[in-house]
Structure formats: C-alpha cells, structure tokens
Amino acid sequence: MPTVHARSFATQRLRAGQSIKVIQSSGGQVVDFWAFSLPSTTSFPRYMSMTHTRSTLHKLLPSLQESFLDNRRDPILTIVEDTSPGIHDVLFAACSPERYLQLGASAGHDNCASNLFEAVKKIEDPSFLYLLEFMQHGWMPDPLNLFMNVAVDKNKLTCLNPESKAGDFITLMAEQDCLVAMSACPMDVSACNEGEPTSVEFQVL
Ligand SMILES: [Zn+2]
C-alpha cells in the first residue's frame, strides 16, 4: 500500500468517481490534505476550499455523504466512510517555516507548507504544473487537516492530540477529476500528533 512517510508528502491523481482511503498506520497522526481540480484553463486554480465549504454548509465539517466544495462552491470530495471518531480540523493553516520559528524550533524544520510545494514540483502530470506559478508567490489554500483535533470553545481554539487509533481511516470520493496532495504533519513542538510524527498509508478505490 502506498505510504506517506512521516514528515513527508505524496500526491495522487483521482478521476471523478474514484476514492482515496487515508489510513492511520499507528494512530494519532495528522494529515494535511489538499485537492486541486483538473484545470480547464490556466486561470486561477480551482481547489478544495474550507472557507467555501463552511459558509455553504453552515457547519465546520461535512457529514457522511456530504461534500467538501471548491472555491466555486462545486462539490469536489465527498466523505463516503470514516471509521475514526470523525474529528478533523478545517480551521488551522498548514504548518510553515515561520510557524516553527515562532514556536522556538530551529530553522529548517520540516513543515506541511513546504511539503505541498515540493509535492507540486514533483507532479508528473503537466496539467497541474501551473499551480507552481501561484505557489511560488506564496499562495496556498487552507488544508483539510485529517484527524487533527482542534477544540472550539466560543472564541478559543485548543489544539489537542488526535483521537484516531491505528487502522482508523477516512475515505473521500472525487466528484471531479482532481489531484490530491497529502503531508504527514511533522509538528513535534506542540500538541498535534500524539508525540513523534508517524507515517500514514493510502489506497485508491
Ligand atoms: Zn503540519
């Protein structure tokens, strides 16, 4: 089974109707997850948007059989199965070099933002290379943070360790041709990944 190694990244092309199953190898590992539509033009990217999903569904997270939306409010990925406790974050930005410096880590710490950039640089399908034009100027959509446990209490957000266990998985079905990118979050200086970051596996169905 393909693996997103600890602190690293992977991409996967999905045709509409295909699903991707993201599996917790040892539990407690956050996966930053993005989806980009197959472009019909080289205009601004269509991408899975947490903001558009929240403000259309009027809730934080889609329920089972509901979809995440793209930035034109069209369905892009539907949650078809989730054996985890169903706790996923849609509010936190990807961890980035600046965030680790703010937290006192040394420069050069692995991070999800750089992982996405490196992942896009390695895409073999030329249809998606145009994303680099935007990303090299710092553009990056908010990720869907799979298995990330953020408690929302009025105006306070508290990042806790995941409740997911080894073998838990979520399956997302593509509603349109798209590319998904995953980063096994390397956060190890605050609560997030239940200690040392670990690998996750995935499967295309
Ligand atoms: Zn991260």
Side-chain angles (χ1 to χ4, degrees):
M1 205 178 295
T3 300
V4 188
H5 295 288
R7 302 173 182 270
S8 190
F9 55 84
T11 58
Q12 178 65 50
R13 181 84 156 74
L14 295 177
R15 292 188 306 275
Q18 283 187 311
S19 297
I20 187 163
K21 181 175 177 179
V22 184
I23 307 147
Q24 292 281 283
S25 305
S26 47
Q29 176 61 44
V30 169
V31 182
D32 286 39
F33 191 104
W34 294 267
F36 301 93
S37 308
L38 179 68
S40 53
T41 66
T42 52
S43 59
F44 195 77
R46 288 181 76 160
Y47 58 92
M48 181 170 70
S49 167
M50 297 302 105
T51 308
H52 292 84
T53 302
R54 291 194 305 265
S55 56
T56 304
L57 298 182
H58 287 214
K59 52 184 170 183
L60 289 174
L61 196 68
S63 304
L64 212 55
Q65 304 304 336
E66 285 185 335
S67 303
F68 290 95
L69 307 180
D70 66 21
N71 53 326
R72 295 187 194 169
R73 298 186 191 254
D74 286 325
I76 182 164
L77 287 171
T78 297
I79 303 177
V80 293
E81 199 172 7
D82 188 355
T83 67
S84 78
I87 300 168
H88 310 284
D89 169 66
V90 297
L91 298 172
F92 272 47
C95 62
S96 58
E98 303 80 14
R99 188 64 187 133
Y100 285 101
L101 292 178
Q102 289 170 352
L103 291 169
S106 52
H109 195 287
D110 294 323
N111 63 88
C112 291
S114 299
N115 278 352
L116 177 62
F117 191 58
E118 292 303 314
V120 171
K121 280 202 277 192
K122 289 186 175 169
I123 294 171
E124 290 176 2
D125 185 339
S127 310
F128 290 95
L129 284 176
Y130 83 111
L131 291 170
L132 279 177
E133 292 174 30
F134 297 90
M135 289 182 177
Q136 68 191 1
H137 296 294
W139 174 74
M140 178 162 299
D142 288 347
L144 163 61
N145 296 308
L146 293 175
F147 310 108
M148 186 172 179
N149 185 5
V150 175
V152 182
D153 179 13
K154 294 182 181 168
N155 194 38
K156 187 171 170 55
L157 300 176
T158 306
C159 191
L160 305 166
N161 283 318
E163 292 188 6
S164 56
K165 302 288 179 247
D168 282 355
F169 64 84
I170 184 168
T171 306
L172 300 162
M173 189 181 78
E175 299 291 344
Q176 41 178 298
D177 288 358
C178 61
L179 176 96
V180 301
M182 295 164 278
S183 169
C185 182
M187 176 58 77
D188 54 4
V189 293
S190 69
C192 182
N193 286 316
E194 207 169 80
E196 190 61 23
T198 54
S199 302
V200 299
E201 292 171 308
F202 66 98
Q203 196 175 10
V204 176
L205 308 169

